[in-house]
Amino acid sequence: MTKYIFVTGGVTSSLGKGIISASLAKLLQARGYRVTIQKFDPYINIDPGTLNPYEHGECYVTEDGAETDLDLGHYERFLNTPTSKANNITTGRIYQNVINREREGAFLGKTVQVVPHITDEIKRNMRILGETGDYDIVITEIGGTVGDIESLPFVEAVRQFKWEAGPNNALVIHLTLIPFLAAAGELKTKPTQHSVKMLLEYGIQPDILVCRTEHHINADIRKKIALFCNVNINAVVESMDASTIYDVPLLMLKEKLDQTVLSKLKLSHKNEPNLDNWKDFLGRLKNPTSEVRIGLVGKYVELPDAYKSIIEAFIHAGAKNECKVRVQYIPSEQLTPENAVEKLRGLHGVLVAPGFGERGFEGKIEAIRYVRENNIPFFGICLGMQCSVVEFGRNVLNLKDASSTEMNPDTPHPVIAMMEEQKTIVNKGGTMRLGAYPCDLKKGSKAALAYGKTHISERHRHRYEFNNSYLKDYEAAGLTPSGINPDNGLVEVVELKNHPFFVGAQFHPELKSTVANPHPLFINFVAASLAYARKN
């Protein structure tokens, strides 16, 4: 029978429920259990696909094309197993499902209420992954903070679920904060006590408390928390601030979080967790032999979470190259023909990031022109690839005012344009080319050499495509379409001949980079940047 773990948060948001969930899952996986993690978000959007990155960080896309919370990226990077639409549920999705069923007459004239109808739908979604038979343990992270009005139905659903599952089949981990008051020189447990009392008001006794703290918690504080919060002293777990999120599984191992969970769920401790590969990765991450500076040109650079998967992909690829990647954020709207040289000087590589809309578009084009003309390694992702096509069209093919129809619907040279079937769509949500699509790579191309194969599958999130009516002109001038979708002939990868590294990908390679499998394009881009740094 599948066992269920619920992770809630108290005191404040942003304590790292996603990282704790992923770290616990990693430890259980390393012991031989089949584990998955799902995230329940209390906002009313159906999914984060239409949210500005400043609202909620990046939108992470799964293999099956679901637009999801960025925490799913952490789950995949830690566990090296893909997630799906079932791994991220929002309040909007829950209510939409219930309202659709009400319209169909499924409730036989009954008054539709939060309890039992909404909570039943939440519980149904909590069970979906467990009922597949693919997992021994399902970890469910409840977004938001206990006490928020919007997360109440989820907390009530957890209470009901735990009661119905019976003892030893479900447990609740509550993540809270132990603040340090500098003036008093003390750690304070009162916020944690209040947070647990609030959970108790809702009918939930947490089984394990994970306490975020900047300083070590001594035995007296653990005893005090255990006494006031009705938990065993060995179920009070310290979670110290770490220099990297990839330290957290080892910190949780030291605190015996996985052992406590297995004991409470009456599961055998199986083997000791095998974390040799993880420790090897951490060793290379923390002891680099060289360093590169890579510019990330984008329009959401004030919030690093907007490019979370790209930053993590650089960490994985850097460790693989035993190289520290220092990412320099460059706001694309501040780049002009006059200042591009000054802003990009001293970089060993430039990545032009994905995005939507025309803000910062011309700045991205200037960045690409500079790196193309100066033989600096370049990597373009999604809009970054499209910008490289526009820049090449304008400055090499002399296609005056070449552009994407997204930025200029009246451009005389629409080198990037919308697919025909997209033009009739009015609603914005979920209308893009989303999820995994196949791609055939040209033998001998940089992309094929990086992957070590010619048939790949990568994840997409975009509406606009390379306009194939310009294909021959580009190829003749040296910008090679080295990756093609075999089903529809759309260009997926472009490369520039006679350049140390100039690759644009229509897809999002960063979404598939994990600790166990760093993405080959990122590995090769970092390696090319490192070679450039050594030469210059």
Side-chain angles (χ1 to χ4, degrees):
M1 181 179 171
T2 305
K3 307 275 187 173
Y4 293 87
I5 299 168
F6 297 96
V7 180
T8 58
V11 184
T12 175
S13 59
S14 302
L15 289 183
K17 292 190 297 294
I19 301 300
I20 290 294
S21 302
S23 299
L24 172 59
K26 182 72 216 169
L27 295 178
L28 296 171
Q29 185 191 57
R31 284 182 179 273
Y33 286 100
R34 298 170 304 154
V35 191
T36 189
I37 318 175
Q38 54 186 0
K39 171 87 184 273
F40 281 61
D41 271 309
Y43 52 76
I44 295 173
N45 305 62
I46 303 296
D47 60 44
T50 54
L51 288 176
N52 184 308
Y54 283 139
E55 291 280 323
H56 220 251
E58 79 171 3
C59 174
Y60 188 81
V61 179
T62 58
E63 287 285 292
D64 61 355
E67 294 177 289
T68 67
D69 185 79
L70 62 78
D71 272 332
L72 269 71
H74 291 311
Y75 307 161
E76 290 200 12
R77 287 188 280 274
F78 275 59
L79 296 180
N80 200 36
T81 53
T83 53
S84 70
K85 183 181 180 180
N87 291 74
N88 190 201
I89 308 293
T90 66
T91 292
R93 174 97 62 83
I94 296 291
Y95 273 82
Q96 188 182 51
N97 291 349
V98 171
I99 289 166
N100 287 346
R101 290 185 62 221
E102 185 273 332
R103 293 288 84 188
E104 291 161 7
F107 300 112
L108 300 172
K110 283 198 176 354
T111 305
V112 180
Q113 295 176 286
V114 173
V115 181
H117 302 102
I118 295 299
T119 50
D120 281 353
E121 178 64 14
I122 293 170
K123 288 187 292 181
R124 185 184 74 78
N125 280 274
M126 286 171 172
R127 288 191 199 95
I128 286 173
L129 289 166
E131 287 169 352
T132 61
D134 295 335
Y135 305 105
D136 304 312
I137 301 166
V138 176
I139 299 175
T140 303
E141 179 193 341
I142 306 296
T145 308
V146 168
D148 294 346
I149 288 174
E150 55 189 11
S151 61
L152 270 175
F154 291 102
V155 175
E156 169 61 16
V158 170
R159 183 194 69 76
Q160 293 178 20
F161 192 106
K162 198 180 176 199
W163 174 253
E164 290 163 6
N168 314 127
N169 291 321
L171 64 79
V172 173
I173 296 173
H174 190 52
L175 180 63
T176 127
L177 179 69
I178 309 282
F180 179 76
L181 293 190
E186 283 183 312
L187 287 164
K188 290 294 182 184
T189 65
K190 192 60 78 179
T192 292
Q193 294 175 44
H194 280 307
S195 186
V196 171
K197 281 199 168 66
M198 188 165 278
L199 257 186
L200 288 166
E201 281 178 26
Y202 299 145
I204 295 176
Q205 167 63 56
D207 301 278
I208 298 170
L209 293 178
V210 176
C211 305
R212 278 300 303 274
T213 172
E214 295 173 34
H215 300 271
H216 284 293
I217 302 171
N218 62 29
D220 289 342
I221 291 177
R222 287 185 197 245
K223 275 183 197 164
K224 186 176 178 182
I225 292 170
L227 177 67
F228 281 105
C229 299
N230 310 336
V231 296
N232 308 336
I233 191 160
N234 69 341
V236 178
V237 173
E238 172 190 281
S239 176
M240 283 276 290
D241 291 356
S243 61
T244 165
I245 57 171
Y246 300 109
D247 275 330
V248 179
L250 299 182
L251 294 174
M252 291 303 103
L253 179 67
K254 196 174 162 194
E255 285 287 300
K256 300 183 177 172
L257 175 61
D258 54 326
Q259 288 183 37
T260 306
V261 163
L262 292 172
S263 299
K264 288 185 180 292
L265 292 175
K266 294 283 190 285
L267 289 170
S268 86
H269 286 207
K270 285 195 173 185
N271 333 315
E272 276 304 297
N274 177 5
L275 292 165
D276 292 347
N277 291 343
W278 194 270
K279 288 173 183 171
D280 175 54
F281 160 75
L282 269 177
R284 283 182 283 114
L285 176 64
K286 292 185 172 185
N287 301 288
T289 57
S290 48
E291 183 176 309
V292 291
R293 287 189 304 282
I294 292 178
L296 193 158
V297 179
K299 64 177 185 176
Y300 303 113
V301 292
E302 287 85 358
L303 180 74
D305 269 5
Y307 302 112
K308 192 70 182 165
S309 292
I310 291 174
I311 301 307
E312 299 305 315
F314 274 135
I315 290 171
H316 308 153
K320 187 79 176 171
N321 283 289
E322 295 186 8
C323 162
K324 166 83 178 165
V325 178
R326 291 206 181 277
V327 177
Q328 194 170 314
Y329 296 99
I330 300 167
S332 52
E333 63 263 50
Q334 290 177 17
L335 279 175
T336 64
E338 292 73 41
N339 70 8
V341 175
E342 174 202 334
K343 297 246 183 201
L344 301 171
R345 188 184 282 127
L347 295 174
H348 306 130
V350 169
L351 183 144
V352 175
F356 293 95
E358 63 184 321
R359 183 169 67 85
F361 179 69
E362 294 299 328
K364 290 181 176 182
I365 301 242
E366 281 310 316
I368 294 166
R369 177 175 188 162
Y370 176 75
V371 295
R372 179 180 60 76
E373 291 177 348
N374 291 278
N375 285 329
I376 298 167
F378 161 77
F379 190 12
I381 296 177
C382 199
L383 181 62
M385 171 268 203
Q386 296 173 9
C387 288
S388 72
V389 171
V390 172
E391 189 279 329
F392 195 85
R394 288 181 189 176
N395 299 319
V396 179
L397 295 174
N398 295 316
L399 300 173
K400 189 172 161 47
D401 297 329
S403 194
S404 162
T405 53
E406 179 185 7
M407 315 307 166
N408 178 7
D410 304 318
T411 172
H413 294 291
V415 292
I416 301 289
M418 193 181 273
M419 297 183 292
E420 282 304 314
E421 60 266 33
Q422 295 279 28
K423 291 180 180 173
T424 55
I425 291 171
V426 180
N427 288 347
K428 288 271 190 247
T431 57
M432 293 177 276
R433 190 144 76 96
L434 285 164
Y437 285 85
C439 172
D440 289 346
L441 300 173
K442 276 191 180 169
K443 278 185 184 167
S445 65
K446 279 196 173 65
L449 292 171
Y451 282 96
K453 54 187 177 183
T454 54
H455 301 292
I456 60 165
S457 168
E458 290 283 2
R459 299 180 197 173
H460 294 65
R461 183 177 183 247
H462 62 92
R463 287 190 183 86
Y464 294 82
E465 306 282 355
F466 185 101
N467 186 341
N468 280 353
S469 51
Y470 289 90
L471 199 56
K472 284 181 180 164
D473 295 342
Y474 273 85
E475 204 162 5
L479 192 69
T480 310
S482 60
I484 303 284
N485 181 310
D487 301 328
N488 52 27
L490 293 170
V491 174
E492 300 277 15
V493 185
V494 294
E495 294 181 16
L496 192 58
K497 288 179 185 171
N498 310 319
H499 192 284
F501 190 97
F502 190 103
V503 176
Q506 182 73 283
F507 46 76
H508 287 261
E510 73 276 16
L511 300 178
K512 288 182 80 166
S513 186
T514 68
V515 170
N517 287 307
H519 198 283
L521 288 178
F522 275 89
I523 293 171
N524 281 37
F525 175 53
V526 170
S529 302
L530 191 54
Y532 178 86
R534 284 174 178 155
K535 264 199 253 172
N536 295 275

